[in-house]
Amino acid sequence: MLSRLIYASAVADDLRADELNRMLAHARLRNASRGITGMLAFDSRSFLQVIEGSRRALSDLYAALLRDPRHRDVQMLKFARIDARLFPDWSMGFMPADLTPRTMLARHAPMPHFDPGALDGESAEALLVAFGAALADRTAPVPLH
Ligand SMILES: Cc1cc2nc3c(=O)[nH]c(=O)nc-3n(C[C@H](O)[C@H](O)[C@H](O)COP(=O)(O)O)c2cc1C
């Protein structure tokens, strides 16, 4: 059953950039082998992630995510059965949220700073779609897979 899960979490205080990059590379390989696609938005405080795939694969990954010490305060914002993926091309797209235009945040999430834990599921999804479009629009090649 194809499904979509969106959650927000708080970045662990001691998470280093090189650790995040290693985690992302591992996640992309792992997702590709499990039929999971999605997008991870990040700033120094928060994560917002959407994962799409079979309900079984998403449940297993979410269970692992809840135990992962690299973040805390994990909140599920949305879980839904879907007919088609919003992010079919990325084993895990990555968007540094503090590099996105303020106007994009303002359009989808009127908040003074990136605070995904305060969003409802629909706003979170709309914001992630906007991030995905911004990533796809970049002229410089980004190593996304
Ligand atoms: C913010 C965040 C996002 C993550 N995203 C993914 C992901 O998309 N796919 C994945 O396999 N692991 C992801 N992880 C890592 C998982 O929590 C977990 O460590 C990993 O799936 C376990 O892999 P292993 O069984 O190969 O050790 C993420 C971790 C964090 C902190």
Side-chain angles (χ1 to χ4, degrees):
M1 193 184 297
L2 190 62
S3 302
R4 177 178 307 131
L5 188 158
I6 302 177
Y7 75 86
S9 63
V11 178
D13 293 336
D14 54 356
L15 185 67
R16 297 195 328 260
D18 60 331
E19 212 180 311
L20 178 64
N21 283 326
R22 216 169 334 112
M23 185 280 285
L24 200 55
H26 181 67
R28 284 172 174 155
L29 288 175
R30 213 171 167 279
N31 289 351
S33 73
R34 287 167 174 73
I36 294 177
T37 56
M39 160 87 56
L40 177 66
F42 157 88
D43 76 357
S44 54
R45 280 177 288 217
S46 311
F47 289 115
L48 173 64
Q49 188 175 28
V50 53
I51 48 178
E52 298 177 325
S54 74
R55 188 170 67 181
R56 176 78 270 153
L58 298 190
S59 300
D60 291 346
L61 176 53
Y62 192 66
L65 284 163
L66 288 174
R67 292 190 301 263
D68 196 315
R70 291 170 288 194
H71 62 175
R72 56 189 164 74
D73 295 342
V74 179
Q75 285 193 77
M76 195 189 292
L77 305 182
K78 178 170 183 169
F79 185 88
R81 182 178 178 173
I82 55 171
D83 294 326
R85 295 174 194 250
L86 285 171
F87 305 92
D89 300 328
W90 287 318
S91 54
M92 190 48 60
F94 182 66
M95 178 54 113
D98 38 6
L99 296 185
T100 58
R102 291 206 143 264
T103 48
M104 189 191 292
L105 270 187
R107 196 174 318 133
H108 298 282
M111 44 178 56
H113 61 89
F114 182 60
D115 180 16
L119 293 173
D120 63 63
E122 300 316 309
S123 309
E125 185 172 296
L127 185 60
L128 284 158
V129 167
F131 283 159
L135 265 188
D137 275 353
R138 279 194 194 176
T139 47
V142 185
L144 289 174
H145 290 280

